[in-house]
Amino acid sequence: NRGFSGYTTRAAKYLVNKIIPSAKEAKVLYTTLWFGANDAAFPPNNQHVPLEEYKQNMIDVIKMIRSHQPSSPVIVITPPPVDIAKWSADCDALKRPESSKCRSQESVAKYAHAAMEAAKEADALLLDIWTLMQQDKDWSRFLSDGLHFSEEGNKFMYDALRDLVKSKIGDAEKLDLYAGQGPAWSALDLQHPENSL
C-alpha cells in the first residue's frame, strides 16, 4: 500500500511495472488507481495532463496492472471535488497565489467523469468519491485546504473504500505494504517521467 503524492497518470505509466509484483511473486488482493486531481491542474502547471491523455493513461495503467496481476481487481477512484475558495485562501496564506489559479471544480469534474469512463471501458471497479463526497451538504469539511483530505475526509475515503471492497471483493484486512518506491513527486520530471523512474 503506497500513495504517490503529486504524481500524475503520465508518471504512473512508467512506475506501475516497477511496483506491481507478478502473480508468482505475490498475491495482490486489489489495486487502487487514484489519479486526476493533479492531472486536472491547468497549464502551465507542470502536473497538467490533457483530458484525453489522462483517460487513455488510466486505461493503459489498468492493463499494465492486470498484466502482472490478472486475477486481482483494480479499483479506479475518481478525483474528489475541490473547494476553490478554501484552496485559494490556503495558497494565499502560504504565499503561493499562482497555485490557486491552476485548479477549478469544473476541470476536476471532467477528470472525474473521464475516470468513470476509463473504469467502465477497462471493466474495473469504480469508487466515485467525486459524487459520494458531494452528497454531503457540507462536503468541504472533508478537505483540509480545499484540495487535500482532512482527517474527516480520510475517514470518509477509508469507509467508502472499505465498503466497496467488502461488497465487491470480500475480506481485505491483510495488505502488502510498498514503502519507498519511487521518488517524491517534487523530484520527478513530470513532463518526462521516464527520465526519473
Side-chain angles (χ1 to χ4, degrees), residues 48-117:
H48 173 74
V49 174
L51 185 61
E52 286 304 315
E53 180 185 347
Y54 164 77
K55 180 181 170 184
Q56 188 59 54
N57 288 346
M58 291 288 283
I59 292 169
D60 292 347
V61 170
I62 293 167
K63 289 177 182 176
M64 289 177 200
I65 292 167
R66 288 190 174 139
S67 74
H68 294 282
Q69 292 286 327
S71 62
S72 176
V74 177
I75 301 170
V76 170
I77 305 171
T78 62
V82 60
D83 181 330
I84 293 303
K86 195 184 259 189
W87 176 244
S88 294
D90 190 73
C91 291
D92 290 346
L94 295 172
K95 301 195 183 329
R96 298 183 329 202
E98 70 286 349
S99 294
S100 70
K101 294 176 179 65
C102 70
R103 302 192 185 272
S104 78
Q105 181 75 324
E106 294 78 19
S107 177
V108 177
K110 292 175 186 175
Y111 284 74
H113 287 98
M116 293 176 208
E117 292 171 4

Side-chain angles (χ1 to χ4, degrees), residues 91-194:
C91 291
D92 290 346
L94 295 172
K95 301 195 183 329
R96 298 183 329 202
E98 70 286 349
S99 294
S100 70
K101 294 176 179 65
C102 70
R103 302 192 185 272
S104 78
Q105 181 75 324
E106 294 78 19
S107 177
V108 177
K110 292 175 186 175
Y111 284 74
H113 287 98
M116 293 176 208
E117 292 171 4
K120 184 176 182 178
E121 289 178 28
D123 196 28
L125 296 173
L126 176 69
L127 178 52
D128 181 6
I129 207 72
W130 164 264
T131 301
L132 288 173
M133 278 192 161
Q134 292 182 88
Q135 289 173 348
D136 187 301
K137 66 179 178 160
D138 188 23
W139 60 265
S140 181
R141 68 189 168 94
F142 297 131
L143 305 170
S144 62
D145 60 3
L147 179 65
H148 303 97
F149 282 173
S150 63
E151 186 174 336
E152 283 183 276
N154 283 317
K155 182 175 182 335
F156 184 92
M157 177 64 197
Y158 171 81
D159 290 345
L161 180 59
R162 182 200 60 217
D163 292 349
L164 177 74
V165 169
K166 283 183 177 181
S167 71
K168 299 291 186 181
I169 299 171
D171 184 31
E173 298 302 320
K174 297 179 182 177
L175 298 175
D176 292 334
L177 299 178
Y178 294 97
Q181 296 175 338
W185 81 270
S186 56
L188 279 178
D189 174 352
L190 292 171
Q191 296 305 309
H192 304 283
E194 67 274 19

Side-chain angles (χ1 to χ4, degrees), residues 7-26:
Y7 278 54
T8 66
T9 55
R10 190 178 285 154
K13 285 179 58 173
Y14 295 95
L15 182 65
V16 71
N17 287 326
K18 297 174 189 260
I19 64 168
I20 303 292
S22 71
K24 290 180 183 177
E25 295 171 317

